[in-house]
Amino acid sequence: MKSFYFGGQKSGKSSCASKKALMLASAKPYYIATYDNSYEDKAMQDRVNRHIKQRAEEFITIEEPKDLTKVIKPKQTYLIDCMTMFILNNLQEGYEFMEKQLEKLFEIDCNIIFILNDINNGVIPIDKYSREFVDISGLIGQFLAKNCDEVIEVKYSLERRLK
């Protein structure tokens, strides 16, 4: 089972996706944290640490910011939180690089719950780097929506199944 949860920042998508992972798992599921603290953002690192602490008893945490194919194995359940950071970490590699990783993940017989921030509802960013980030985020979202078994939009912790 491959599931895709998307929504705005602080929409409740991580909590909803966590419940799904726990429901699907036959053993303790894995929480893949994609944040890369090379940005030296203390507030963001505190946020990540809170996430890890909240799930410490229910999930095994793996930190992998760039290559998801290294950590996902068959017959397990994984929650990837989040694809937005994965995109940011791999932006210089380009969309094709990310798409190839995702294609490999979809070949593995396992449960994966993908989380992505929905950032495509605003104006077109003025700078090239931000535009590329928003564009690739939209393309990754389209790829996940097309290939996942289910697609769930989350707003204010309310889930709406689209597929």
Side-chain angles (χ1 to χ4, degrees):
M1 167 71 78
K2 307 296 192 279
S3 300
F4 172 35
Y5 282 73
F6 75 95
Q9 189 170 326
K10 290 295 187 187
S11 62
K13 57 193 177 300
S14 291
S15 296
C16 293
S18 293
K19 289 176 191 168
K20 178 69 171 192
L22 293 168
M23 183 189 80
L24 291 174
S26 56
K28 200 172 193 179
Y30 292 88
Y31 176 90
I32 301 178
T34 59
Y35 180 66
D36 177 1
N37 197 26
S38 64
Y39 306 106
E40 298 182 20
D41 182 341
K42 176 147 175 32
M44 187 62 173
Q45 187 61 51
D46 290 345
R47 185 179 193 161
V48 168
N49 291 340
R50 270 194 317 278
H51 271 258
I52 292 170
K53 223 179 201 177
Q54 289 170 339
R55 293 177 181 82
E57 292 181 27
E58 297 176 315
F59 288 85
I60 299 165
T61 298
I62 300 172
E63 294 188 32
E64 181 49 56
K66 293 189 177 188
D67 189 354
L68 300 173
T69 63
K70 289 188 337 189
V71 296
I72 294 186
K73 309 292 180 223
K75 307 295 183 198
Q76 301 294 324
T77 298
Y78 299 90
L79 172 63
I80 302 176
D81 198 358
C82 74
M83 294 304 294
T84 309
M85 284 295 163
F86 167 81
I87 293 165
L88 183 62
N89 298 336
N90 288 294
L91 196 58
Q92 292 181 354
E93 303 298 330
Y95 172 74
E96 290 77 20
F97 173 83
M98 292 178 246
E99 182 181 48
K100 283 187 175 102
Q101 271 198 59
L102 291 174
E103 287 170 349
K104 288 178 186 175
L105 296 184
F106 276 86
E107 293 173 3
I108 301 171
D109 180 21
C110 65
N111 298 315
I112 305 176
I113 297 92
F114 298 91
I115 297 173
L116 178 71
N117 286 325
D118 186 5
I119 61 170
N120 296 324
N121 292 321
V123 297
I124 297 172
I126 195 164
D127 68 281
K128 180 183 183 300
Y129 188 79
S130 298
R131 247 187 340 271
E132 184 177 11
F133 175 71
V134 171
D135 288 351
I136 290 176
S137 178
L139 293 172
I140 293 292
Q142 288 181 53
F143 179 92
L144 293 172
K146 177 182 176 187
N147 291 288
C148 283
D149 301 299
E150 64 179 3
V151 177
I152 310 293
E153 181 180 24
V154 181
K155 290 186 178 187
Y156 305 110
S157 294
L158 298 173
E159 300 177 39
R160 182 171 59 172
R161 185 184 171 114
L162 303 178
K163 175 182 173 186

